Amino acid sequence: RKKKRKSGKKKSSSRRSNTEEENAGLVMTGEAEYAPDDGGAVVVVDQEPFNGEDMSPAPVPEPEAMTADVGGGDEEGQQNGFTEDGLAVAMAVDAGEEDDYVYAAIEYDPDAKPPLHRNRRFRVYTCLAIVLVAAAVAVTVIYVTKGAKGVDEQFTDINVATLPTFEPTPSPLTNREQSGIIEQIEAGVLQRGAVFANMTVDDPRKMALEWILHYDQMQLNSDDVNLYQRYILALLAFSLDSLAWYYCGNHRMVNANETVDFVQEDCDVLASTGVLESHKVWLSSADECEWYGAKCSSTDGVLRGLELMGNDLIGELPPEISQLRFLQYIAFNGNCLYGNIPPEMGTMPNLLSLELQGNGLSGAIPEELNNADKLQLLNGAMQYQYPYQCAASDGRIVNTIFAKGNPENGYNWGLMGSTLGDNVNKWKSMKGLHLFDNSITGTISPSVGDLKYLVFLRVHNNAIQGLIPNEIVKLNKLREVYLFQNGVFGDFPPDIGLMEDLEDLRVHENEMWGFLPDTFWKLTKMKKLWLQDTLECEQDEADEWKCMRSRDKGFQGSISPEVGNMKKLSQLLLNNNPLTGTLPAELGNCKELSRLHIHQTFIEGVVPTEICLLRDEELFDHTGQIGVFYADCRPNNKTEDPTSAVIAVVTVVITLMEFVSRMISGALYM
């Protein structure tokens, strides 16, 4: 409500002063809103009422700076719009001032609530709701991503306007192919600088990758600890034609209308005990440690061994097998493997045993293999013309007698190289070295004497040349030495008697000669001694070596009476050597003797009674096993007519009578 104010400057000032003093408390205690407009008016809202005399709020004095602009006209009676009595006077409002906005009074409502956005509880609940929604969205995204691991999204670009290119465009990448698995395998498994981009679709390495990415139900990630292990085993399956394996390799199910891969899970294997054992098929969804022949440690699931003997493995060993860093033994013997031994296998830091015998491998044994200094057993025997056939899954017949199993490649010559050269001493832990039936060349290096743990040395039927080094006598743990059917020549080291654990010595069909050392007869643990069939070799006009057996060349001297110290001797083969003298009676101390060959020698005389008494031991036992005693029962150990030498005939007759009188059974060859 607007009122005119009367003039009266002095009274107005006094009035204003009094009013300020009287109503100061009211203005401070009420809820007033000061809203000056351009005309200088002040609006007072919700003042506390006076003492019941007047319910209208008292006017609030205006600032003195604004009094000059209000009113006008009568300066004395209507100064500032108030009368002398302090009453408000109505004043006309200038129409020109209508555009000036005058703040309206706001009525206070004690029940009114603040706006929703200023409500503290509303803001808290809103923030909580936003957090919950964000969490729900994150969980949904993770669940969808995990669930779509095996689902490949195909994106096909159809370009209608452009001309066809001369080179095929690459296939669109899937989520799995972009997950880092390819890069991990290329960096940590592939060898010789290989990359998947340069491989054909039928490359076993590419096929193993495709299985890991798209067909393996385990769906490993790039950071899974068994990614390398599982990939390499899959690579072995594709490289060695697992569909043709005798046990647990066929993952395929063939129906009337279709063939489905990677669906077979279980297989049964007849163990050596005659009991069926349950295993998992290779490339099945099971953990790779459950696949047949895979041996893992139970604590960490790390692959420690591979046993696939006699399982018709066909193909070449991939070099990536070397990346099984914790593998300790490999047993792939009795299969149809061909090609070379990967040099990378020499980098396997924990390899203890490598058994590859009975395959069709070829090429030089890599020198890098000597770097496997923890290797204790190396068996690469029986590769040379070893006849064994396997039927491949594509219908091919692979025969190990031929190079790479194919008759068109000619015969397989087996493993080659100077394996017993100077680097042989790098095998510091070697206990068993089996390389017989190959094409090993070179000589036996004196470094072989550094193999202080060597127990078995079987390198017969090769092309090894030269002398037996004296350093071999340092191998006091050596039990078996098989050097027969090589090009070894010369005599035995004079200190051979120091090899106190020697049980089996076979050097026949070589060009050895000389007298048997005196220490030779001190080998008290000797069981089998084969010195027969010494060869005499000559080079013909075509530079080819021709060898023939002859009793005129070979070991000389006589059988020492100290042979009786070899009480465990079971086989003594001395035929086709220029040995002289007689059979010592002390040979009768060898109670386990079952084979005695002395034909085609210069040994003379009558068989001692002590030897004949062996009929109750091994030469003829009561189980029906017949021993063998080969001797010449003709004059001068030749096939002459007995009548030409009466003394010789008498000797033979006495010998035969003694055999008859003692009821000796066996075979007498004349």
Side-chain angles (χ1 to χ4, degrees):
R1 187 174 53 180
K2 295 183 179 180
K3 297 180 181 180
K4 272 192 175 181
R5 289 177 287 186
K6 295 181 180 181
S7 61
K9 191 172 185 180
K10 294 181 179 179
K11 293 181 179 180
S12 177
S13 298
S14 176
R15 170 79 175 180
R16 184 165 53 251
S17 177
N18 295 332
T19 305
E20 291 176 357
E21 294 176 359
E22 295 173 358
N23 298 329
L26 293 175
V27 174
M28 297 300 294
T29 59
E31 292 191 10
E33 178 176 346
Y34 296 89
D37 60 8
D38 293 340
V42 177
V43 180
V44 181
V45 182
D46 277 349
Q47 291 290 346
E48 291 184 2
F50 290 101
N51 301 325
E53 298 178 357
D54 187 1
M55 298 302 293
S56 300
V60 179
E62 300 177 4
E64 293 181 359
M66 297 182 182
T67 59
D69 297 331
V70 181
D74 189 357
E75 296 180 358
E76 294 180 0
Q78 299 177 2
Q79 181 70 26
N80 294 327
F82 292 91
T83 66
E84 293 178 356
D85 298 328
L87 299 176
V89 180
M91 299 175 62
V93 180
D94 188 0
E97 297 178 359
E98 290 181 358
D99 293 337
D100 296 335
Y101 178 77
V102 180
Y103 289 89
I106 301 175
E107 184 178 2
Y108 173 71
D109 183 3
D111 296 328
K113 297 181 179 180
L116 190 61
H117 67 278
R118 292 186 179 179
N119 190 306
R120 180 178 300 174
R121 183 174 298 176
F122 172 77
R123 291 197 299 267
V124 172
Y125 288 160
T126 302
C127 293
L128 289 176
I130 293 173
V131 172
L132 291 176
V133 171
V137 172
V139 172
T140 303
V141 170
I142 294 174
Y143 176 78
V144 172
T145 303
K146 290 289 186 180
K149 274 177 140 184
V151 179
D152 298 332
E153 297 182 6
Q154 301 289 342
F155 299 94
T156 304
D157 296 332
I158 302 177
N159 192 346
V160 180
T162 58
L163 293 175
T165 59
F166 292 99
E167 296 181 359
T169 57
S171 302
L173 296 178
T174 64
N175 291 338
R176 294 281 291 163
E177 292 168 344
Q178 294 177 337
S179 63
I181 293 177
I182 296 177
E183 292 77 9
Q184 279 279 21
I185 295 177
E186 283 183 342
V189 178
L190 295 188
Q191 300 294 297
R192 305 177 186 178
V195 293
F196 290 114
N198 298 333
M199 298 178 188
T200 58
V201 294
D202 58 349
D203 190 304
R205 296 168 294 182
K206 190 65 171 290
M207 297 170 70
L209 175 66
E210 289 296 313
W211 180 79
I212 286 287
L213 290 176
H214 306 304
Y215 299 101
D216 182 14
Q217 296 183 36
M218 189 168 285
Q219 292 291 278
L220 298 179
N221 291 319
S222 60
D223 57 351
D224 284 325
V225 294
N226 62 329
L227 175 63
Y228 290 176
Q229 177 174 290
R230 194 169 179 86
Y231 171 80
I232 296 173
L233 291 186
L235 175 57
L236 286 175
F238 286 108
S239 298
L240 306 181
D241 196 3
S242 65
L243 292 175
W245 291 1
Y246 195 77
Y247 291 121
C248 304
N250 188 6
H251 55 76
R252 179 175 293 171
M253 180 179 293
V254 180
N255 298 322
N257 300 324
E258 62 178 350
T259 299
V260 184
D261 288 325
F262 316 121
V263 292
Q264 298 285 5
E265 293 284 330
D266 301 309
C267 61
D268 294 327
V269 177
L270 184 63
S272 58
T273 58
V275 179
L276 282 177
E277 297 179 348
S278 296
H279 297 275
K280 293 295 182 180
V281 176
W282 280 58
L283 301 180
S284 66
S285 62
D287 188 287
E288 64 274 10
C289 290
E290 299 181 31
W291 295 354
Y292 169 68
K295 308 297 181 181
C296 299
S297 54
S298 58
T299 56
D300 53 12
V302 174
L303 189 67
R304 304 291 181 177
L306 285 173
E307 296 181 355
L308 294 173
M309 304 87 72
N311 205 32
D312 285 5
L313 277 61
I314 303 173
E316 300 187 44
L317 289 173
E320 285 75 14
I321 193 176
S322 63
Q323 297 309 298
L324 294 171
R325 311 303 293 173
F326 298 97
L327 198 65
Q328 294 180 335
Y329 63 98
I330 300 174
F332 287 170
N333 47 296
N335 288 290
C336 289
L337 300 178
Y338 51 77
N340 301 332
I341 297 176
E344 290 81 359
M345 297 187 76
T347 65
M348 302 179 74
N350 295 292
L351 189 61
L352 303 177
S353 175
L354 179 59
E355 296 185 74
L356 301 173
Q357 68 271 24
N359 282 284
L361 297 172
S362 59
I365 297 178
E367 294 182 1
E368 292 82 354
L369 196 60
N370 293 99
N371 296 327
D373 55 0
K374 291 185 179 180
L375 197 60
Q376 298 182 11
L377 172 61
L378 175 59
N379 195 336
M382 297 188 296
Q383 312 293 335
Y384 171 67
Q385 295 188 4
Y386 176 73
Y388 186 75
Q389 288 188 352
C390 300
S393 60
D394 59 3
R396 294 180 299 116
I397 299 298
V398 177
N399 193 331
T400 58
I401 198 173
F402 301 110
K404 293 190 174 183
N406 190 345
E408 296 180 358
N409 299 326
Y411 289 107
N412 178 39
W413 290 90
L415 297 174
M416 305 177 183
S418 301
T419 309
L420 299 180
D422 294 337
N423 291 330
V424 70
N425 60 357
K426 291 185 177 181
W427 285 326
K428 299 177 181 179
S429 303
M430 185 64 69
K431 295 181 179 180
L433 192 55
H434 305 264
L435 297 174
F436 55 92
D437 293 349
N438 280 292
S439 297
I440 305 296
T441 56
T443 61
I444 303 175
S445 171
S447 298
V448 73
D450 297 331
L451 305 181
K452 59 182 180 179
Y453 299 108
L454 191 63
V455 178
F456 305 99
L457 178 61
R458 294 186 176 186
V459 291
H460 53 280
N461 193 20
N462 279 285
I464 298 172
Q465 306 277 329
L467 299 168
I468 299 177
N470 292 329
E471 289 76 5
I472 198 172
V473 302
K474 295 190 297 183
L475 305 179
N476 54 13
K477 296 183 182 298
L478 198 59
R479 296 179 187 176
E480 295 182 0
V481 178
Y482 290 7
L483 297 177
F484 60 91
Q485 295 178 345
N486 276 288
V488 178
F489 55 82
D491 55 0
F492 285 112
D495 294 327
I496 192 173
L498 298 176
M499 304 172 69
E500 54 187 20
D501 283 346
L502 195 58
E503 299 177 355
D504 195 343
L505 177 61
R506 306 184 188 189
V507 296
H508 56 283
E509 296 186 49
N510 282 293
E511 291 186 86
M512 298 192 70
W513 62 76
F515 292 91
L516 297 179
D518 293 337
T519 61
F520 189 86
W521 309 106
K522 295 181 180 180
L523 300 173
T524 58
K525 295 182 180 181
M526 185 69 71
K527 295 179 180 180
K528 297 179 181 180
L529 181 58
W530 291 17
L531 307 179
Q532 78 277 15
D533 297 334
T534 302
L535 300 178
E536 183 178 6
C537 299
E538 294 180 355
Q539 197 170 10
D540 61 13
E541 297 178 356
D543 292 335
E544 293 183 1
W545 287 93
K546 301 292 185 181
C547 298
M548 57 182 300
R549 297 173 183 174
S550 172
R551 71 168 183 166
D552 297 324
K553 298 288 184 180
F555 295 108
Q556 305 175 30
S558 60
I559 302 176
S560 171
E562 294 186 14
V563 69
N565 296 328
M566 299 180 176
K567 299 182 183 299
K568 296 182 179 181
L569 190 64
S570 63
Q571 299 181 13
L572 179 60
L573 280 60
L574 302 173
N575 51 288
N576 284 306
N577 279 290
L579 294 172
T580 58
T582 60
L583 284 177
E586 290 80 1
L587 192 59
N589 296 333
C590 304
K591 303 298 183 180
E592 298 181 10
L593 189 63
S594 61
R595 294 183 65 184
L596 176 60
H597 294 185
I598 58 171
H599 59 285
Q600 290 297 316
T601 66
F602 294 100
I603 296 176
E604 300 177 337
V606 178
V607 177
T609 303
E610 290 81 359
I611 297 178
C612 295
L613 291 175
L614 294 177
R615 75 189 192 284
D616 293 329
E617 304 298 337
E618 294 295 334
L619 284 179
F620 176 72
D621 60 21
H622 298 288
T623 64
Q625 180 179 354
I626 299 177
V628 178
F629 180 17
Y630 282 176
D632 292 307
C633 295
R634 294 190 178 277
N636 300 323
N637 288 340
K638 296 182 179 180
T639 57
E640 299 176 359
D641 190 342
T643 58
S644 61
V646 177
I647 298 177
V649 171
V650 173
T651 302
V652 171
V653 171
I654 294 175
T655 302
L656 290 178
M657 289 177 60
E658 191 163 350
F659 268 75
V660 172
S661 64
R662 299 189 179 277
M663 301 178 62
I664 287 182
S665 298
L668 288 178
Y669 292 84
M670 299 184 179

